Amino acid sequence: MRAAVFYHYGDENCVTVTTLKKPKPAANDVLVKVMATTVTSGDWRMRRADPWAVRLFAGLFKPRQPVLGTEFSGVVEAVGADVTGLNVGDRVFGSKGMKMGAHAQYVSLAADGCLVKLPDNLTYEQGAGVIFGGATALTFLRPYLESRPAQRLLVIGGSGAVGTYAVQLGRMWGAHVTAVCSARNHDLVRSLGAEQVVDYEKQPLPDPGNPFDIVIDTVGKSSFSKCRELLTDSGVYLSVSGGLREWGQMLLSHCPLSSGPRVVCRIVDENANDAKWLADYLERGDLTPVIGKTLALEEIQKAHVIAESGHKVGNLVVNLWET
Ligand SMILES: NC(=O)c1ccc[n+]([C@@H]2O[C@H](COP(=O)([O-])OP(=O)(O)OC[C@H]3O[C@@H](n4cnc5c(N)ncnc54)[C@H](OP(=O)(O)O)[C@@H]3O)[C@@H](O)[C@H]2O)c1
């Protein structure tokens, strides 16, 4: 099978396309013929080992898993003897999560992993761009938005993979959504449900005034100290790409003696329940994957450059087979 591989950490040039052995599914595994995948911020960060601590689990001197890629969509090619619920020929989408390996024409994963049927109304390209952004936005926002209508939500980075889902979830759950991104993407975020937009090239954040219940920074371009004045006293600052500073602030802001807005960081656990939840809303048309660009596997280096630029729109899809 064809796959994009990298054998040392570095820039996009360390990723090349080669031929690897097709995986064999174990008894409780599903073998998927991958039709489409994405290149995400997670992929370029892993490729660069950025932050350095990535090496502690990905390989100290070189990557243990040479194939990047988390999310994918495709067709079930074979199922292990113990698998029930999925059959050869089913259209599916899912994620390999931190195990990665989706930048390849076939992936094998446990049937009870993050793998569900692809709704009929979604193309493979759309199905590839669901889990990374959708499950992340869902994990962060659900505890604060679902069943709490009329919240005021600020999405910093509203036009990225996570941000486009965050804006849509906000709209779906009845929040008043303000999105921060460049003017190039204002029409897009408005079409997804943002009622107000801020062009970060003119001002990084909205003016303080009518405070927000929730600020979600999907791209790490703000700080809790700068957003504090934008939040209500009981508000939350959701730091999707939180580093050591934000994790420390989360501990401090949750101390019994501290008052005012709190910081929340999380590591997203992509799972079948959330994938099924997303599939249901995608099927109803309440959510739509935003596909900014589609490239071929042979253009994988170009895909890495775009993803690393920090300016990709929604999801950057890579087709695994010639179309
Ligand atoms: N906690 C977890 O478990 C978890 C899970 C998944 C992802 N993440 C993290 O989430 C982060 C976001 O990922 P992503 O894939 O959504 O990002 P992305 O798609 O690369 O975001 C790109 C978007 O950010 C916008 N942007 C750039 N600079 C901005 C600024 N100063 N203010 C507002 N928007 C700006 C760009 O808009 P313009 O083109 O208009 O400039 C672009 O559309 C990554 O750091 C990733 O590591 C964390």
Side-chain angles (χ1 to χ4, degrees), residues 39-42 44-45 132-133 136 140 155-164 180-186 198 200-201 204 217-222 239-242 247 265-270 306-315:
V39 175
T40 68
S41 45
W44 74 257
R45 284 188 181 280
F132 183 85
T136 303
F140 274 87
V155 182
I156 301 171
S159 49
V162 180
T164 48
V180 183
C181 58
S182 74
R184 291 181 292 281
N185 294 315
H186 281 183
V198 174
Y200 69 79
E201 284 169 341
D217 184 349
T218 68
V219 283
K221 297 292 183 186
S222 70
S239 177
V240 177
S241 56
W247 281 85
C265 305
R266 303 186 74 147
I267 292 174
V268 175
D269 164 40
E270 295 169 344
I306 296 170
E308 192 171 351
S309 74
H311 297 288
K312 78 176 163 61
V313 177
N315 300 282

Side-chain angles (χ1 to χ4, degrees), residues 258-315:
S258 71
S259 59
R262 295 178 174 197
V263 179
V264 173
C265 305
R266 303 186 74 147
I267 292 174
V268 175
D269 164 40
E270 295 169 344
N271 59 69
N273 286 340
D274 286 349
K276 182 79 185 66
W277 190 98
L278 290 162
D280 288 347
Y281 284 89
L282 289 159
E283 189 162 29
R284 285 184 225 169
D286 290 334
L287 294 174
T288 309
V290 174
I291 309 302
K293 197 163 191 67
T294 302
L295 295 171
L297 180 61
E298 308 300 327
E299 298 173 288
I300 191 78
Q301 292 184 353
K302 184 175 171 188
H304 273 263
V305 171
I306 296 170
E308 192 171 351
S309 74
H311 297 288
K312 78 176 163 61
V313 177
N315 300 282

Side-chain angles (χ1 to χ4, degrees), residues 41-307:
S41 45
D43 293 315
W44 74 257
R45 284 188 181 280
M46 191 69 86
R47 187 222 329 126
R48 283 223 178 254
D50 174 9
W52 194 91
V54 161
R55 292 171 186 254
L56 297 178
F57 62 89
L60 211 48
F61 301 109
K62 59 180 188 159
R64 275 191 288 270
Q65 162 60 289
V67 183
L68 293 165
T70 56
E71 56 186 350
F72 61 86
S73 65
V75 190
V76 174
E77 171 95 354
V79 292
D82 298 345
V83 173
T84 54
L86 283 174
N87 296 299
V88 172
D90 283 347
R91 298 168 83 243
V92 290
F93 73 105
S95 174
K96 296 264 294 177
M98 294 307 284
K99 288 186 183 157
M100 305 199 117
H103 290 174
Q105 288 179 322
Y106 292 91
V107 293
S108 183
L109 72 164
D112 61 358
C114 186
L115 180 68
V116 297
K117 287 188 183 165
L118 182 66
D120 289 342
N121 59 330
L122 258 62
T123 63
Y124 288 118
E125 291 178 5
Q126 291 174 312
V130 174
I131 302 290
F132 183 85
T136 303
L138 181 63
T139 302
F140 274 87
L141 290 174
R142 182 159 47 189
Y144 307 99
L145 271 185
E146 200 182 27
S147 65
R148 287 194 216 176
Q151 302 270 294
R152 284 179 50 78
L153 169 69
L154 175 64
V155 182
I156 301 171
S159 49
V162 180
T164 48
Y165 281 102
V167 171
Q168 293 183 78
L169 288 172
R171 180 212 62 214
M172 218 178 83
W173 283 324
H176 176 285
V177 183
T178 301
V180 183
C181 58
S182 74
R184 291 181 292 281
N185 294 315
H186 281 183
D187 286 347
L188 168 72
V189 293
R190 276 200 188 97
S191 74
L192 299 175
E195 287 168 61
Q196 282 178 288
V197 289
V198 174
D199 177 3
Y200 69 79
E201 284 169 341
K202 294 196 173 127
Q203 59 175 118
L205 293 168
D207 295 324
N210 203 351
F212 293 94
D213 303 289
I214 303 153
V215 173
I216 180 167
D217 184 349
T218 68
V219 283
K221 297 292 183 186
S222 70
S223 65
F224 177 49
S225 51
K226 286 192 180 133
C227 289
R228 213 186 165 105
E229 61 174 355
L230 301 178
L231 281 159
T232 61
D233 270 357
S234 57
V236 280
Y237 175 74
L238 308 178
S239 177
V240 177
S241 56
L244 272 181
R245 181 184 61 176
E246 286 76 20
W247 281 85
Q249 288 169 332
M250 175 165 78
L251 286 179
L252 284 176
S253 69
H254 282 78
C255 280
L257 289 179
S258 71
S259 59
R262 295 178 174 197
V263 179
V264 173
C265 305
R266 303 186 74 147
I267 292 174
V268 175
D269 164 40
E270 295 169 344
N271 59 69
N273 286 340
D274 286 349
K276 182 79 185 66
W277 190 98
L278 290 162
D280 288 347
Y281 284 89
L282 289 159
E283 189 162 29
R284 285 184 225 169
D286 290 334
L287 294 174
T288 309
V290 174
I291 309 302
K293 197 163 191 67
T294 302
L295 295 171
L297 180 61
E298 308 300 327
E299 298 173 288
I300 191 78
Q301 292 184 353
K302 184 175 171 188
H304 273 263
V305 171
I306 296 170

Side-chain angles (χ1 to χ4, degrees), residues 4-71:
V5 294
F6 80 126
Y7 293 109
H8 58 89
Y9 299 115
D11 66 19
E12 73 281 359
N13 293 310
C14 67
V15 184
T16 52
V17 177
T18 190
T19 301
L20 296 178
K21 267 170 94 175
K22 187 173 163 181
K24 280 202 178 120
N28 61 349
D29 284 354
V30 176
L31 179 69
V32 178
K33 177 180 178 183
V34 178
M35 302 306 293
T37 183
T38 60
V39 175
T40 68
S41 45
D43 293 315
W44 74 257
R45 284 188 181 280
M46 191 69 86
R47 187 222 329 126
R48 283 223 178 254
D50 174 9
W52 194 91
V54 161
R55 292 171 186 254
L56 297 178
F57 62 89
L60 211 48
F61 301 109
K62 59 180 188 159
R64 275 191 288 270
Q65 162 60 289
V67 183
L68 293 165
T70 56
E71 56 186 350

